[in-house]
Amino acid sequence: MKLAATVILVTLVTLVSGCLSSREFVSVEEKFNKGERASGFHQVRRGDTLFSIAWRYGLDYRELASANSISSPYVIYPGQKIDISYPPSQVRQGVVASVEKPSKVPSVKESASKPTAQKSHNAPVLPPSNAETDWKWPTNGRLIGYFSAKKPVSKGIDIAGSLGESVLAAAAGSVVYAGTGLRGYGNLVIIRHNEKFLSAYAHASRIVVRENESVKAGQKIAEIGSTGTDKVKLHFEIRENGKPVDPLKFLPKTGGGSG
């Protein structure tokens, strides 16, 4: 009797272990945005910017704007549906049409209470996409997580730090997102450096810059925290044409991130 029970128990453990080991890693975007991915559309919420939507789904903001006929300065509205399922090969090139406005124009009262994150006003002139970006470490600290394109996927690096320690802009640019709208990132800042590169700084305890603000390399933009995660750290990402790339290929070999 005991032998039979032991055999059954071993079999169950084996089956459960097999299920867990064969389970595929699910990214932040897939975990929290599966329904919208399936529908092919993202419905704009208060606080969204075109840049944060592109970041959420791993898209190039220029292609996303073109596919939805949204021109610079990329104004979007709560309730607006953004097509996120376009085939990249079918994205129109060149100048896009005027911004698509919702059928219901927001009232004066609604506009007054609407956070500025939904609109991208005239941002500072950025360097051309072929200009070389002078990258700096966003904080000094020990590397505790590395970029990985293989499973389990990691779209950036994690740097240990103390609560409240300064987070610095890794390069000059313009703040295109500052908020908590992307689940899994906590308090997040996204900076646009030129037409090609953006960087992100996640899990901040406090954000000290505003959207559309021009920042210099090395300028304080936030403070290290643990929002959206289980430990105090900075999660740092660089995206090139909308795709995650290894930040260690761009950051200086010295000056931070000691292993």
Side-chain angles (χ1 to χ4, degrees), residues 1-253:
M1 189 71 177
K2 289 184 178 179
L3 178 61
T6 301
V7 171
I8 293 173
L9 179 61
V10 171
T11 303
L12 288 173
V13 170
T14 302
L15 289 173
V16 171
S17 300
C19 290
L20 290 176
S21 61
S22 63
R23 186 179 300 166
E24 294 187 350
F25 174 83
V26 179
S27 68
V28 171
E29 287 88 348
E30 292 170 331
K31 182 177 180 180
F32 295 119
N33 304 293
K34 189 173 181 180
E36 290 179 326
R37 271 290 191 190
S39 71
F41 289 92
H42 173 90
Q43 187 164 354
V44 178
R45 306 177 182 92
R46 288 185 180 276
D48 281 348
T49 69
L50 183 82
F51 295 92
S52 70
I53 295 171
W55 194 279
R56 183 190 300 265
Y57 299 104
L59 304 172
D60 186 322
Y61 73 91
R62 295 165 298 179
E63 292 183 353
L64 182 64
S66 181
N68 287 273
S69 298
I70 300 174
S71 58
S72 181
Y74 310 122
V75 180
I76 58 177
Y77 301 88
Q80 182 179 356
K81 287 189 174 182
I82 303 295
D83 182 3
I84 57 173
S85 64
Y86 60 89
S89 61
Q90 294 183 13
V91 175
R92 294 182 297 281
Q93 301 298 320
V95 180
V96 296
S98 301
V99 62
E100 179 185 348
K101 296 184 178 180
S103 55
K104 178 186 175 183
V105 179
S107 65
V108 175
K109 183 177 180 180
E110 289 175 334
S111 299
S113 61
K114 187 188 304 180
T116 56
Q118 285 137 252
K119 293 187 178 182
S120 297
H121 300 294
N122 295 326
V125 177
L126 297 171
S129 59
N130 58 356
E132 187 172 345
T133 302
D134 183 20
W135 296 99
K136 301 180 183 298
W137 281 88
T139 188
N140 290 317
R142 182 171 56 90
L143 274 174
I144 56 175
Y146 292 82
F147 175 90
S148 175
K150 299 179 180 179
K151 297 178 181 177
V153 174
S154 174
K155 297 183 178 181
I157 58 175
D158 293 332
I159 306 174
S162 301
L163 183 66
E165 187 177 348
S166 294
V167 176
L168 312 176
S174 175
V175 178
V176 293
Y177 182 79
T180 60
L182 276 73
R183 293 183 64 182
Y185 285 95
N187 289 329
L188 173 69
V189 176
I190 300 176
I191 297 177
R192 177 189 177 201
H193 302 290
N194 53 36
E195 290 297 315
K196 183 188 295 184
F197 287 104
L198 293 97
S199 62
Y201 313 74
H203 309 310
S205 60
R206 187 167 74 98
I207 296 173
V208 299
V209 290
R210 295 173 295 178
E211 288 174 10
N212 305 306
E213 181 176 340
S214 179
V215 295
K216 298 177 181 179
Q219 177 180 332
K220 180 176 178 178
I221 58 173
E223 295 177 355
I224 290 180
S226 59
T227 57
T229 187
D230 59 354
K231 65 176 62 177
V232 176
K233 65 180 179 180
L234 170 66
H235 177 74
F236 175 68
E237 296 184 15
I238 295 178
R239 296 202 182 182
E240 183 177 5
N241 297 322
K243 302 303 179 184
V245 292
D246 187 354
L248 296 183
K249 293 182 178 180
F250 298 90
L251 296 172
K253 300 301 181 184

